[in-house]
Amino acid sequence: MHLTHLECPRCGAERPADKLQNLCDCGSPLLARYDLAAVAASVTPEQFGLRPADLWRYRELLPVADARFVTTLGEGWTPLLRAPAYGAEIGIPDLIVKDEGLTPTGSFKARGAAVGVSRARELGVERIAMPTNGNAGAAWATYAARAGMGATIAMPLDAPTICRRECLAAGADLRLVDGLISDAGRWVARLVAESGGRIFDAGTLREPYRLEGKKTMGYEIVEQLGWQVPDVIIYPTGGGVGLIGIHKALHELRELGWVEDKLPRLVAVQSTGCAPIVRAFAAGESRATPWADAHTVAFGITVPSPLGDELILDALRESSGTAIAVDDAEILADLRDFAAREGLLLCPEGAACLSAARHLRAGGWIRAGERVVVLNTGAGLKYPETVDVSGVPVL
């Protein structure tokens, strides 16, 4: 393992990586840092192709020192699927979808859970707790069970029912909150504070290692494209860990010398019913203010006050990217349109990225001939209510 320390991107403080850490004293998430020169000396890009097709192929750039603590269900190495029919329709012939719906537990959250649980296990954690909009809780409950670790999961009453069932099936202590993920977060904070150190807070960006699992999406996109970067990467953004992680991966790859200096433009997609990042980006602000009365069919991006707002906005601006909000009617229409043309049922968050791509191409922000990668962050089958079957005739 080449992990050296944890670093605060806001104040620059460093923390030891061999002890459990949550937020920096200044309130910012901490980021894992590696001896990249040592990584470059120990492995070459060509060697990854000889390894198993999962995210642990990038073990030199992950934070688990002892392989005995690796907790895995085969997560990672999801396909890049070309979408020529839909792409031609919206003016992006080189449109590619990275389908995270094929990961264990049916969403990209399995990446963060696999690495986060593995590192927590290595550092002696016996029980984790976290708020969730659904998929992250299902993933962390599942991987905690795999690791022999306890899990307390708090989620809003309106979260997808399947995620609730997944948590219970994995033996988690599930608590339902009549409110949003922010309300669930306050409940978890009280639980952790009262636990006397017996429960570790694994909420979004409140520990440094979920991000390390998510960043492997960035490594995979580049490797699957023959160690080339696309022009644009479009990402549905709630807590924003995936977008921050992809940005981190791209910078690590550039510092390693495995990609050229030119990096993709990153796009954060939100719903018009909950768009704190879009509002802050448009106003030129470095922090997002909480979104009132948040609501959208794309439940995974219903995050009214993301902890990683600074990191998301920094990633967008550093990459010459942008932020865009789309409405629920468009999301559902594009979900159906894409499935009919390409045979892939996206989750609503993934469909939101299609709506964004369509708008950005129509407005000229995405230029003719550019290669665009859209992230489908979960399996459409986990959201059966997004396709209305009430009008189907009965024979």
Side-chain angles (χ1 to χ4, degrees):
M1 181 181 73
H2 298 288
L3 177 68
T4 56
H5 63 282
L6 303 173
E7 181 181 80
C8 175
R10 182 188 296 167
C11 73
E14 295 187 2
R15 297 283 184 273
D18 59 353
K19 295 182 173 61
L20 285 171
Q21 304 282 356
N22 285 118
L23 299 178
C24 179
D25 293 342
C26 75
S28 171
L30 295 169
L31 300 179
R33 298 302 186 196
Y34 299 83
D35 182 346
L36 295 179
V39 172
S42 66
V43 66
T44 63
E46 293 75 21
Q47 290 174 262
F48 295 122
L50 305 174
R51 296 179 177 180
D54 60 32
L55 65 79
W56 298 99
R57 69 201 280 122
Y58 306 114
R59 56 182 176 268
E60 288 86 357
L61 290 151
L62 291 173
V64 182
D66 189 335
R68 292 178 303 166
F69 295 106
V70 168
T71 304
T72 182
L73 291 165
E75 57 288 333
W77 205 248
T78 54
L80 286 181
L81 302 173
R82 298 192 177 275
Y86 185 87
E89 179 185 322
I90 66 171
I92 307 175
D94 201 358
L95 179 67
I96 303 171
V97 174
K98 186 158 178 64
D99 187 14
E100 290 292 296
L102 297 178
T103 49
T105 73
S107 87
F108 77 120
K109 304 288 188 179
R111 293 180 185 267
V115 176
V117 165
S118 295
R119 184 60 173 159
R121 184 182 175 196
E122 187 168 46
L123 294 176
V125 171
E126 295 182 357
R127 175 172 287 274
I128 57 101
M130 60 181 296
T132 178
N133 270 330
N135 276 320
W140 281 75
T142 299
Y143 280 85
R146 182 79 167 167
M149 190 185 295
T152 299
I153 309 294
M155 72 171 67
L157 274 169
D158 292 338
T161 305
I162 182 62
C163 299
R164 190 181 309 176
R165 298 179 191 276
E166 287 177 280
C167 291
L168 290 175
D173 173 21
L174 176 65
R175 305 301 179 96
L176 300 178
V177 177
D178 188 6
L180 298 171
I181 190 172
S182 48
D183 302 301
R186 284 187 282 273
W187 185 87
V188 168
R190 289 195 298 272
L191 176 73
V192 170
E194 294 166 2
S195 75
R198 294 187 308 278
I199 302 176
F200 181 65
D201 188 346
T204 301
L205 290 173
R206 291 185 178 277
E207 56 78 51
Y209 302 115
R210 179 194 300 212
L211 176 64
E212 296 303 289
K214 300 284 186 67
K215 79 178 181 184
T216 59
M217 289 185 290
Y219 295 154
E220 286 180 23
I221 289 169
V222 172
E223 184 179 358
Q224 288 169 325
L225 292 175
W227 298 99
Q228 301 293 314
V229 300
D231 296 292
V232 177
I233 296 176
I234 304 181
Y235 201 89
T237 303
V241 184
L243 186 142
I244 298 164
I246 290 171
H247 182 247
K248 184 174 188 285
L250 291 167
H251 279 263
E252 288 173 351
L253 288 168
R254 186 165 66 180
E255 189 171 339
L256 285 162
W258 294 350
V259 299
E260 301 295 329
D261 284 347
K262 181 178 178 290
L263 296 181
R265 309 195 305 280
L266 301 178
V267 178
V269 181
Q270 299 196 299
S271 163
T272 52
C274 183
I277 295 298
V278 175
R279 182 170 62 189
F281 183 84
E285 294 168 353
S286 60
R287 301 295 305 270
T289 54
W291 190 271
D293 193 27
H295 183 77
T296 169
V297 67
F299 203 78
I301 53 176
T302 315
V303 181
S305 184
L307 178 62
D309 56 347
E310 285 175 286
L311 295 173
I312 299 167
L313 291 163
D314 284 349
L316 297 179
R317 291 182 176 125
E318 283 182 21
S319 69
S320 300
T322 193
I324 182 172
V326 296
D327 67 43
D328 281 4
E330 289 183 289
I331 292 171
L332 294 177
D334 283 318
L335 185 150
R336 288 285 298 271
D337 195 17
F338 186 83
R341 280 161 176 73
E342 299 289 354
L344 178 61
L345 180 61
L346 304 181
C347 66
E349 297 81 9
C353 293
L354 295 178
S355 302
R358 184 166 49 77
H359 282 294
L360 292 171
R361 178 68 189 104
W365 191 89
I366 293 175
R367 297 181 286 272
E370 290 197 304
R371 173 173 284 178
V372 177
V373 173
V374 161
L375 272 294
N376 178 47
T377 48
L381 291 175
K382 296 190 82 169
Y383 302 83
E385 70 285 352
T386 58
V387 178
D388 182 11
V389 298
S390 60
V392 177
V394 178
L395 301 178

